[in-house]
């Protein structure tokens, strides 16, 4: 059989999917009596399933990925041209698109200079952790090996990436975990710790990180890994003063600051990277998802020249260089797609569009909050938004997970795909998440919010 993306038997495809495909984070028991969804086409912000149903995608491929929208022929054409010219060679040698994209990428990241390619966000973060561990061996006699991570943050699906993830249910049943990963408290201003300084919560929340460092021993802590804005943990923007104090603490104790931009990177928040809203100067930045908008698999671990230089030694230092490899980091499709993806963001002024439409989205969500007492908090930045559903605004008791699930299902039935926190916590799976493509228009935002409004009117 010769594959053709435009000619297929929909019934056969759905049957094959049901019988042979293992879907991600999905309970398959219902498929014994119902068909799985199979997406067959995408254009702009819209997708179609095998049954011909059309949906407006408000979550960019379900997981914050298709930043420039579906059906971008110029990206596909660039990938095809690259593949027939040179599809793969291990990154022990360079290739044209990787060299060109690395230069273009770091031009958007003042202070950063080196790009290490792999193929997923989890893998990008694994590389960062290995960099920290090897530096600990090279400079600190192996002592400065611990990586701190924040409660509610997520850093990937491998065992070690889960070891650095602050979401109980997402980690549950996968232990024992990699040693040397230590959790620090969250910084969600809507749900501050009971003894918090509410007048200066950002600084107070950062100070809790210092307490963990002192308890562990500063000489043992090599890095602090944080999302600039917590994504799957509830779309949480750190409060005022937080990032300035975090940087002070890292500098004070000689700790590398690793920023995980897998979700926020490449325009999602209205800047190229989320950390750039806060004046952060990271040592390591990881990214995936929107780097090529899902047109090819690619992730990047980007470092300062100082971090990179720690691995430059004479040839006779057999264990001195970074002894890591990512097989598919050598695929040329990823950086080829990423180059065109970035050119589209620039040419179409999508960062400006994110700021404009993001402000409009926030305004519409604030209107919903005024209309429905069940909405306790609206938060986010750019086209990266979320709102918490609570039983009571005074107590902030979260609703059961079944309600966000029902709201998402209602929107789906009305042709709009939205997101929600998904079995990450024991009780805080109560946030509706929105991340439409950077090309979203006001009309798109209206349709998304109107669908949520209709769902809340019926279910809440």
């Amino acid at each position: 059989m010769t594959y053709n993306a435009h000619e297929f038997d929909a019934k056969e495809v759905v049957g094959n999917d049901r019988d042979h495909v293992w879907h991600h984070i999905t309970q398959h028991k219902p498929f014994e009596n119902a068909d799985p969804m199979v997406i067959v086409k995408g254009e702009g912000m819209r997708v179609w399933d095998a049954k011909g149903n059309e949906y407006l995608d408000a979550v960019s491929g379900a997981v914050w990925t298709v930043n420039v929208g579906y059906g971008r022929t110029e990206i596909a054409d660039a990938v095809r041209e690259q593949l027939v010219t040179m599809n793969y060679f291990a990154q022990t040698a360079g290739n044209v698109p990787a060299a060109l994209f690395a230069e273009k990428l770091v031009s958007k990241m003042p202070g950063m200079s080196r790009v290490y390619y792999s193929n997923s966000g989890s893998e990008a973060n694994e590389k960062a952790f290995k960099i920290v561990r090897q530096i600990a061996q090279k400079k600190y006699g192996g002592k400065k090996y611990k990586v701190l991570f924040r409660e509610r943050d997520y850093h990937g699906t491998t065992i070690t990436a889960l070891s650095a993830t602050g979401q109980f249910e997402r980690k549950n049943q996968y232990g024992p975990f990699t040693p040397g990963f230590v959790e620090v408290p969250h910084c969600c201003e809507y749900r501050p710790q009971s003894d918090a300084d509410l007048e200066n919560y950002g600084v107070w929340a950062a100070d809790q990180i210092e307490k963990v460092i002192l308890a562990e021993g500063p000489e043992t802590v090599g890095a602090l890994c944080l999302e600039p804005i917590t994504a799957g943990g509830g779309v949480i923007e750190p409060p005022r003063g937080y990032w300035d104090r975090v940087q002070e603490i890292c500098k004070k104790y000689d700790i590398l600051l690793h920023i995980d931009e897998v979700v926020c990177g490449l325009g999602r928040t209205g800047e190229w990277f989320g950390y750039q809203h806060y004046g952060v100067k990271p040592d390591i930045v990881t990214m995936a998802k929107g780097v090529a908008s899902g047109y090819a698999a690619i992730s990047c671990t980007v470092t300062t020249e100082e971090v990179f230089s720690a691995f430059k030694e004479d040839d006779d230092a057999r264990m001195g260089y970074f002894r890591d490899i990512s097989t598919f980091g050598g695929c040329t499709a990823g950086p080829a797609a990423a180059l065109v993806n970035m050119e589209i963001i620039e040419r179409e002024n999508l960062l400006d569009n994110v700021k404009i439409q993001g402000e409009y989205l926030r305004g519409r969500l604030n209107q919903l909050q005024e209309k429905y007492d069940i909405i306790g908090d609206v938060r986010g930045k750019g086209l990266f938004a979320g709102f918490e559903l609570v039983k009571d605004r005074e107590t902030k008791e979260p609703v059961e997970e079944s309600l966000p699930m029902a709201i998402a299902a209602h929107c789906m039935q009305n042709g709009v795909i939205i997101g929600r926190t998904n079995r990450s916590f024991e009780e805080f799976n109560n946030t509706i998440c929105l991340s439409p493509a950077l090309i979203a228009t006001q009309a798109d935002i209206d349709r998304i919010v109107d669908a949520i409004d209709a769902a809340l009117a019926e279910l809440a």
Side-chain angles (χ1 to χ4, degrees):
M1 181 186 78
T2 301
Y3 172 68
N4 187 317
H6 303 287
E7 297 179 6
F8 54 88
D9 183 312
K11 185 175 181 180
E12 178 187 16
V13 168
V14 172
N16 288 346
D17 183 280
R18 183 195 304 108
D19 294 342
H20 304 296
V21 177
W22 197 336
H23 288 223
H24 301 178
I25 56 171
T26 298
Q27 173 55 262
H28 283 64
K29 186 71 174 176
F31 296 157
E32 293 179 2
N33 301 302
D35 290 337
M37 174 182 275
V38 177
I39 301 296
V40 300
K41 180 184 176 183
E43 183 177 325
M45 281 184 53
R46 285 154 179 78
V47 297
W48 288 260
D49 66 19
K51 296 181 178 180
N53 299 309
E54 177 184 333
Y55 305 92
L56 179 64
D57 178 6
V59 279
S60 298
V63 287
W64 304 297
T65 298
V66 189
N67 279 10
V68 299
Y70 299 97
R72 292 283 191 169
T73 56
E74 60 188 296
I75 300 181
D77 290 344
V79 170
R80 180 193 181 281
E81 184 66 23
Q82 179 58 52
L83 292 180
V84 297
T85 302
M86 180 65 189
N87 68 305
Y88 175 84
F89 197 92
Q91 267 289 315
T92 51
N95 63 68
V96 172
L100 296 177
F101 180 64
E103 188 279 330
K104 191 171 185 65
L105 179 62
V106 298
S107 74
K108 309 298 184 186
M109 305 175 71
M112 312 304 287
S113 69
R114 295 285 175 166
V115 180
Y116 189 99
Y117 289 107
S118 51
N119 70 309
S120 73
S122 299
E123 194 178 1
N125 285 328
E126 292 271 358
K127 307 309 180 187
F129 301 148
K130 291 177 78 173
I131 287 169
V132 172
R133 289 284 171 92
Q134 196 169 343
I135 287 176
Q137 293 292 331
K138 291 165 64 66
K139 292 180 62 177
Y140 303 102
K143 293 181 179 180
K144 210 169 176 63
Y145 69 95
K146 293 178 185 175
V147 175
L148 306 185
F149 64 93
R150 185 171 56 199
E151 181 187 4
R152 299 188 68 145
D153 278 10
Y154 176 74
H155 298 296
T157 190
T158 63
I159 295 297
T160 295
L162 283 175
S163 303
T165 288
Q167 299 178 9
F168 170 77
E169 283 203 344
R170 198 173 287 275
K171 300 169 68 164
N172 196 18
Q173 300 181 346
Y174 295 120
F177 296 104
T178 307
F181 289 82
V182 181
E183 185 175 273
V184 302
H186 70 78
C187 62
C188 180
E189 197 164 14
Y190 181 64
R191 295 187 178 279
Q193 292 85 342
S194 58
D195 58 341
D197 175 4
L198 301 182
E199 295 298 318
N200 199 22
Y201 183 65
V203 173
W204 184 91
D207 284 343
Q208 307 318 297
I209 298 174
E210 183 174 34
K211 289 183 178 179
V212 174
I213 293 169
L214 293 173
E216 293 292 324
E219 72 283 359
T220 71
V221 179
L224 172 63
C225 178
L226 300 173
E227 291 184 270
I229 299 172
T230 298
V235 190
I236 302 165
E237 184 180 2
R240 178 180 53 82
Y242 183 81
W243 280 113
D244 288 341
R245 181 64 182 132
V246 163
Q247 292 188 94
E248 289 176 1
I249 292 167
C250 288
K251 185 175 181 180
K252 179 178 180 180
Y253 297 109
D254 188 24
I255 293 171
L256 295 174
L257 180 55
H258 166 194
I259 304 295
D260 179 345
E261 289 275 352
V262 170
V263 172
C264 292
L266 277 296
R268 170 60 50 200
T269 64
E271 298 290 347
W272 284 107
F273 296 94
Y275 73 83
Q276 293 172 341
H277 290 281
Y278 310 107
V280 176
K281 296 180 180 179
D283 300 289
I284 302 171
V285 179
T286 48
M287 64 195 75
K289 296 187 186 294
V291 174
S293 287
Y295 285 83
I298 181 175
S299 65
C300 304
T301 304
V302 185
T303 74
T304 62
E305 194 67 15
E306 182 178 0
V307 170
F308 171 77
S309 294
F311 297 89
K312 291 171 67 175
E313 296 188 22
D314 294 334
D315 286 345
D316 59 358
R318 295 182 66 250
M319 305 293 282
Y321 61 93
F322 189 43
R323 300 181 328 282
D324 180 87
I325 187 169
S326 169
T327 297
F328 293 109
C331 287
T332 60
L339 270 168
V340 183
N341 183 72
M342 186 173 277
E343 290 167 2
I344 289 171
I345 294 173
E346 290 179 313
R347 184 179 68 242
E348 298 183 7
N349 299 314
L350 293 185
L351 296 185
D352 289 339
N353 188 64
V354 170
K355 293 170 185 173
I356 294 168
Q357 301 305 333
E359 184 176 351
Y360 182 72
L361 172 60
R362 185 65 173 264
R364 291 273 348 242
L365 294 179
N366 287 339
Q367 290 172 358
L368 278 189
Q369 185 178 24
E370 293 174 3
K371 185 176 181 180
Y372 298 102
D373 289 341
I374 197 171
I375 299 178
D377 191 38
V378 176
R379 51 193 185 235
K381 188 176 285 292
L383 288 175
F384 183 35
F387 58 88
E388 270 203 55
L389 300 174
V390 295
K391 295 179 180 179
D392 182 275
R393 283 188 178 176
E394 292 299 318
T395 66
K396 301 181 184 179
E397 182 184 357
V399 300
E400 282 81 12
E401 184 177 2
S402 58
L403 181 56
M405 291 174 65
I407 290 170
H410 189 285
C411 289
M412 179 79 79
Q413 291 168 2
N414 287 282
V416 175
I417 303 172
I418 65 169
R420 58 183 175 81
T421 44
N422 181 38
R423 298 188 182 175
S424 301
F425 310 103
E426 291 183 280
E427 60 176 344
F428 292 125
N429 298 307
N430 64 321
T431 302
I432 298 294
C433 304
L434 302 173
S435 53
L438 314 189
I439 61 173
T441 65
Q442 183 171 313
D444 295 324
I445 301 299
D446 283 336
R447 186 177 172 197
I448 293 165
V449 178
D450 287 348
I452 297 171
D453 190 357
L456 289 172
E458 182 170 328
L459 299 170

